[in-house]
Amino acid sequence: DVKVTQSSRYLVKRTGEKVFLECVQDMDHENMFWYRQDPGLGLRLIYFSYDVKMKEKGDIPEGYSVSREKKERFSLILESASTNQTSMYLCASSRITVLRTDTQYFGPGTRLTVL
Amino acid sequence: AQTVTQSQPEMSVQEAETVTLSCTYDTSESDYYLFWYKQPPSRQMILVIRQEAYKQQNATENRFSVNFQKAAKSFSLKISDSQLGDAAMYFCAYRASGSARQLTFGSGTQLTVLP
């Protein structure tokens, strides 16, 4: 079974702190994604990566950056955390398939609170 | 830009009954993929069912089936013989064909199963 893990289930940080959220997948997937989930808004894509050191902006990249130095690990960085970044953050991964019906596998999520 | 709309924030169903969750989407593409994901309370999001737009036949996975109406841009999920374990947040998602890898999610429907 595919396993996607995230470094923390719950995280509390202060405004202005630099925050690192880590995601690791164990199935050699090419694609990795970071979403944030807010009530009534569903999941919104922040960034994704389709290869090591490659990244593309999603729908809401402002205030975030990412790093992918190894294929299995994708990090989300909040350079200077703000209260409006309080949210649930979900990581996902998928492999590239010919039929383009690749499933995204999700981690358990990190609930981040910025005070 | 593609949008996905789930107009029912909450639904409830009696155990063993059938329930239908609605999803509509907006796209100018002719080829794309649609998904239903399930997020149980405090558990990881998992894929329930997927549909390729070029296929006229509706997808089915055990008790889960879809009603895909391409012209109407509608993609509803039917859950038959509902079980307590079906209680979850359900998200409808869209992905364009071609090189696109990212999903666009709806806002979700919270399903409660009543014993």
Side-chain angles (χ1 to χ4, degrees), chain B residues 3-8 20-27 32-36 51-53 55-56 58-59 65-78 92-94:
Chain B
T3 59
V4 178
T5 301
Q6 293 179 249
S7 58
Q8 307 153 315
T20 299
L21 308 184
S22 301
C23 173
T24 58
Y25 57 94
D26 185 25
T27 183
Y32 47 86
Y33 304 90
L34 297 164
F35 306 81
W36 278 99
Q51 174 82 40
E52 294 90 337
K55 290 186 177 179
Q56 292 190 350
N58 289 325
S65 61
V66 299
N67 183 6
F68 173 48
Q69 302 288 329
K70 192 172 185 179
K73 297 180 182 176
S74 171
F75 182 60
S76 59
L77 174 70
K78 186 171 84 170
C92 178
Y94 165 100

Side-chain angles (χ1 to χ4, degrees), chain A residues 4 9-10 31 33 35 37 40-43 45 48 50 56-57 59 88 90 96 99-108, chain B residues 33 35 37 39 42-47 50-52 54 89 91 95-108:
Chain A
V4 180
R9 289 300 300 271
Y10 300 93
N31 304 317
F33 308 83
Y35 296 92
Q37 181 180 1
L41 297 178
L43 278 72
L45 182 67
F48 69 99
Y50 51 90
E56 286 195 24
K57 292 180 180 179
D59 299 320
M88 171 71 86
L90 296 176
I96 296 173
L99 295 178
R100 316 289 316 161
T101 56
D102 43 297
T103 299
Q104 287 194 15
Y105 295 87
F106 285 82
Chain B
Y33 304 90
F35 306 81
Y37 278 85
Q39 186 180 40
S42 301
R43 292 179 61 188
Q44 288 170 244
M45 181 123 55
I46 57 172
L47 178 70
R50 61 183 167 219
Q51 174 82 40
E52 294 90 337
Y54 63 84
M89 179 73 86
F91 292 97
R95 192 182 74 237
S97 65
S99 61
R101 296 171 177 83
Q102 61 268 45
L103 295 172
T104 299
F105 284 85
S107 56

Side-chain angles (χ1 to χ4, degrees), chain A residues 22-59:
Chain A
E22 301 283 332
C23 175
V24 177
Q25 50 94 3
D26 66 357
M27 283 302 291
D28 200 36
H29 284 175
E30 295 85 2
N31 304 317
M32 295 189 76
F33 308 83
W34 274 107
Y35 296 92
R36 65 176 281 176
Q37 181 180 1
D38 299 289
L41 297 178
L43 278 72
R44 293 178 292 167
L45 182 67
I46 304 171
Y47 268 97
F48 69 99
S49 168
Y50 51 90
D51 201 351
V52 175
K53 297 190 185 295
M54 306 302 289
K55 61 185 179 184
E56 286 195 24
K57 292 180 180 179
D59 299 320

